Amino acid sequence: MSKRVLIRPYVTEKTTQQMQEGKYSFMCGLDATKIEIRRAVENRYAGVEVENVRTQVVPGKRRRQFRDGNMIEGRTSGFKKAIVDLDPDGEQIDFFEGI
């Protein structure tokens, strides 16, 4: 199994407010560790120094859909969310620079 540490940035209203405080959220692989997440962020974004990494496993949710009189049940996949605190004196990450 290929091990992807950082999948993509996790952007919501709450996380955009946390970005002003130097806290950035990422979706990570379920088997990624805090040390691997720290190294991946520092390698992907040059000049960034990670101070702290907190992780949380977000479970998948059950979804139901009615189609042609029948109910179809499924699940969304779970993921690990990492909240990364950056050094306030170092570089910051700009997710929206190309927009």
Side-chain angles (χ1 to χ4, degrees), residues 39-53:
R39 289 180 187 154
V41 169
E42 289 176 348
N43 289 338
R44 182 176 289 182
Y45 303 102
V48 170
E49 187 176 330
V50 175
E51 227 176 51
N52 188 21
V53 177

Side-chain angles (χ1 to χ4, degrees), residues 2-3 7-9 14 20 36-37 43-44 48 52 54 63 65 70 72-73 79-80 82-83 87:
S2 69
K3 188 166 185 176
I7 297 173
R8 65 180 176 93
K14 184 175 182 177
Q20 296 171 358
E36 292 171 340
I37 293 167
N43 289 338
R44 182 176 289 182
V48 170
N52 188 21
R54 291 175 289 149
R63 298 289 183 214
Q65 187 176 38
N70 296 327
I72 301 170
E73 290 192 21
F79 62 94
K80 181 180 273 191
I83 301 171
D87 182 27

Side-chain angles (χ1 to χ4, degrees), residues 25-42:
S25 298
F26 295 93
M27 285 180 69
C28 302
L30 285 171
D31 53 352
T33 64
K34 291 182 179 186
I35 296 169
E36 292 171 340
I37 293 167
R38 174 187 297 257
R39 289 180 187 154
V41 169
E42 289 176 348

